[in-house]
Amino acid sequence: MVQLNALAGGLFILTVFGIVGMRQMIGSLRLFVIQSLLLAGSACILGYEYTSVHLFVVAGITIFSKAFLIPWLLYHLLSHEIHARREITQVLTIPTSLLIAAGLVICSYFMVRPLLETGATAFLSVNLPIGVAGLLIGGYAITVRREALPQLLGILTMENGAFLAGVCIAPNLPLMAELAAAFDVLIIALVVGLLTRSIRKRVGTTLVGKMASLKEEE
Amino acid sequence: MELFIILLIPVLVTLICMIPVKMRGVSAWATIIGSLAVFILSSAVAFRPDLASHGSTAALGSLLSCDSLSGLILLLVSFVGFTASLFSLGYMGKTNGEHRPGRTRRYYARYNLFLFSMLAVPVLAQVAIVWIAVELTTLFSVFLVGFENTPEALEAAWKYVVLTCMGAAVALVGVLILYWGLRASGGENFTWPGLLQAAPKIQPVFLKTAFLFILIGFGTKAGLVPLHTWLPDAHSQAPSPVCALLSGVETTTALYVIIRLLPLLRGIPGNPASSWLITFGLLSAGAAAFLLIQVKDYKRLFAFSTIEHMGIILVAAGLGSGAAHLGAVSQILTHAVTKSFCFFAAGSALLVTGTRDISSVRGLIRISPVAGISLMLGGLAIAGAPPFAVFLSEFSIIKAGLAAGHYLVIGGLTLFIAIAFCGIMYHINRMVFGRASAPSVRSALPLSCKVTLALAIVPIVVLGVFVPHPVHTLLQLAAVSIGR
């Protein structure tokens, strides 16, 4: 079980790298779906191990909202964007980005070490650092990618990272909170998707990184 | 039960606003009446005599609860919510025109949802659900920020949603670590009182890590430097009544969660939270003081002033003595009422002149005496001139800091307040006095805007002269609940 969970964790971090390194929108979105399925898988493994029904429900909610509802929503709101056959514009080249992302993974191991020293299980020492790495790399993807949809996927990756850590460190969190959080992620996708659409309509581009008219200097 | 009704009213009003009726002004008046009712109920809750800092009133099982600190925040949110809804009546009537009822309805529906999420933050008891409420304040206000639908407004809305959602994800990890620590120590209730009870048994490393994550995450939402970049954009591009809510109370609700964690860390030797808060606070106050000198847009001026005030509150909360905590909660109170007034004044100036550019507004007092005088008073009040409320609270923070021997911190803070004072007054003076520039849109101020300005200035003046007994008691109880 520990090894299976480690496998899910390892694949999860690979998909997180993919969010930074993918050149096309549709690929990024598919990776996000795989990432969410891996998160659900890890939740199932932990649920079996801790015999917690909560975690199976969490896995179900994750699959339903992140693997079906959000991609469906984005397909409908932003179909032009998703099928755009062009490279995603970004600030740094992809190899540099991947190198920095690798650095962030190492960074996250050092960040969580004091927490793991309080007596962690084998599951924790996989999920916690990988979750925090997902958080950091998702944030990094937002800063380095210049387009709207990849930035949204960055936010969702950050949330996935937080939940990957969460299923392990808080397996008994009241179900109400889990439900509401899944709902919350849906609203994020909806709000950001709608906003992207109105930016596309009004400004004519979704290169949000280029929008910089609001600043002090003229 | 009142708490439940307080949350129910904005939801009901949202539904009313969504009904497509032919009659004009239904949504506006429903919002005004609803938010007035919320304000009255919130005052009843906040000034209830048995609202001691220890005993908190609960409703709906253990889902909602309210102690003195939440009572204070609830009171502020509902007060600004009411005045801003009144200001919206005139502002939307003027800027939106009468012929676009659908747009007005959408505005009020979003307004009420936003109000709902902000009212929910202080009264929710479960910490995990508080996180969701804070996240919802962002998501419900995004389309209010981008409401003007100009490229600038959409840019501001984008920066706002992306940065604050990033912050929320970071804070989520903090909340989860807090829960982990609680469970590891054998605690059961993931509520504020439950955490407080379990705090001495939770290992310090959990508390410290969780606090740092939540400070960074929700600090983004409160506009702490260096994660403040979205704030001046969002707070200047939104319609003025929304700016009053965003700047006056939304930042405060994010700060409320951070401040709530302070008593948990008191038991840790050396109390690291204190030095983190002072560092972040001084950095924010200092950077904002210098940034607001060079602004070109007067709404951005007030937005930078919000960052400065968030810094001052954090420093006061970090100083750690009882007097400093009293100063911090008074500053929360005075900042919320004063900053919302400033944005009403700025909104009036915008209605009268039709521009946000400082250098194109001259002699405002001649164009519109009401807008000119309000802007002058607002500028003086927020910059911290006597006899207004902010002066008293800033003075009490400085006094408390000096009494506790933090000379260097207080020296820096005083310097930044002085620089911000000069910066704000320099710009406001240029706008208010001088020869009148020919305004591009010359129009009279709607009555409801004038009424709002008259209403909103009352607490600023009254609290600057003396603090009424019930308010004083509330502030003291809230200070105790931070310092426990």
Side-chain angles (χ1 to χ4, degrees), chain A residues 111 114-116 118 120 124 128 132 135 139-140 142-143 147-149 151-152 155 158-159 162-163 165-166 169-174 176-177 180-181 183-184 187-188 190-192 194-196 198-199 202-203 208 211-218, chain B residues 63 126 128-129 131-132 135-136 139-140 142-143 146 148-159 161-163 165-170 172-173 176-177 179-180 183 190 203 205-206 209 213 232-234 236-237 291 294-297 300 304:
Chain A
M111 270 172 76
L115 287 176
L116 293 176
T118 59
L124 258 174
L128 187 62
V132 173
L135 188 80
Y140 171 70
I142 297 171
T143 55
E147 293 187 40
L149 187 67
Q151 288 196 0
L152 168 61
I155 295 176
M158 285 180 85
E159 300 264 345
F163 276 107
I169 63 183
N172 303 313
L173 196 68
M176 171 92 185
F183 175 66
D184 184 77
I187 301 186
I188 292 180
L190 182 67
V191 163
V192 178
L194 283 172
L195 189 65
T196 311
S198 49
I199 288 175
R202 191 71 181 76
V203 188
V208 286
M211 302 201 310
S213 55
L214 294 169
K215 56 186 177 207
E216 256 47 74
E217 317 80 66
E218 294 301 310
Chain B
L63 196 58
Q126 299 280 339
I129 303 183
W131 174 82
I132 290 159
E135 175 84 339
L136 285 182
L139 296 172
F140 286 151
V142 169
F143 286 109
E148 306 286 355
N149 210 22
T150 56
E152 289 83 21
L154 289 172
E155 177 191 339
W158 182 263
K159 284 184 186 167
V161 70
V162 168
L163 264 165
C165 281
M166 275 170 78
V170 174
L172 175 61
V173 176
L176 292 170
I177 291 174
Y179 182 74
W180 182 18
R183 295 296 298 219
F190 195 37
Q203 292 190 33
V205 61
F206 288 115
T209 319
F213 270 98
D233 300 346
S236 64
Q237 291 299 323
L291 283 168
Q294 44 151 2
V295 292
K296 302 262 190 305
D297 172 334
R300 287 179 82 88
F304 277 118

Side-chain angles (χ1 to χ4, degrees), chain B residues 289 292-293 301 308 379 383-384 414-430:
Chain B
L292 65 74
I293 296 175
L301 178 74
E308 184 219 345
T414 317
L415 179 70
F416 297 143
I417 292 175
I419 292 171
F421 184 93
C422 298
I424 294 172
M425 287 330 290
Y426 169 68
H427 290 300
I428 299 283
N429 262 327
R430 285 203 306 167

Side-chain angles (χ1 to χ4, degrees), chain A residues 10-29:
Chain A
L11 289 175
F12 183 90
I13 199 78
L14 266 183
T15 61
V16 172
F17 273 101
I19 294 285
V20 174
M22 209 58 153
R23 284 172 200 276
Q24 290 202 324
M25 304 270 190
I26 183 111
S28 296
L29 189 62

Side-chain angles (χ1 to χ4, degrees), chain B residues 8-18 27 30-31 34-35 108-109 112:
Chain B
L8 190 66
I9 291 173
V11 177
L12 287 180
V13 179
T14 308
L15 294 177
I16 294 175
C17 291
M18 282 178 179
S27 48
T31 307
S35 53
Y108 282 109
N112 281 296

Side-chain angles (χ1 to χ4, degrees), chain B residues 309-327:
Chain B
H309 280 270
M310 289 299 122
I312 296 173
I313 294 169
L314 274 197
V315 170
L319 285 175
S321 63
H325 284 149
L326 185 60

Side-chain angles (χ1 to χ4, degrees), chain A residues 6-144:
Chain A
L7 179 69
L11 289 175
F12 183 90
I13 199 78
L14 266 183
T15 61
V16 172
F17 273 101
I19 294 285
V20 174
M22 209 58 153
R23 284 172 200 276
Q24 290 202 324
M25 304 270 190
I26 183 111
S28 296
L29 189 62
R30 280 182 190 143
L31 265 182
F32 168 73
V33 172
I34 297 172
Q35 191 186 74
S36 307
L37 290 176
L38 287 168
L39 167 63
S42 181
C44 283
I45 296 167
L46 285 162
Y48 177 76
E49 194 65 26
Y50 294 155
T51 54
S52 156
V53 185
H54 275 302
L55 287 179
F56 283 106
V57 179
V58 170
I61 295 172
T62 306
I63 291 174
F64 177 66
S65 68
K66 288 181 181 160
F68 289 106
L69 228 47
I70 289 180
W72 177 81
L73 204 73
L74 292 178
Y75 264 117
H76 278 257
L77 284 175
L78 303 168
S79 57
H80 284 289
E81 281 302 301
I82 288 170
H83 295 292
R85 300 200 64 80
R86 60 184 153 87
E87 247 182 60
I88 299 171
T89 319
Q90 49 183 21
V91 181
L92 296 173
T93 58
I94 285 173
T96 324
S97 284
L98 288 176
L99 208 61
I100 292 174
L104 287 175
V105 177
I106 297 167
C107 193
S108 72
Y109 265 94
F110 280 105
M111 270 172 76
V112 300
R113 214 171 54 174
L115 287 176
L116 293 176
E117 276 167 4
T118 59
T121 61
F123 293 109
L124 258 174
S125 48
V126 170
N127 276 31
L128 187 62
I130 288 179
V132 173
L135 188 80
L136 294 180
I137 296 175
Y140 171 70
I142 297 171
T143 55
V144 81

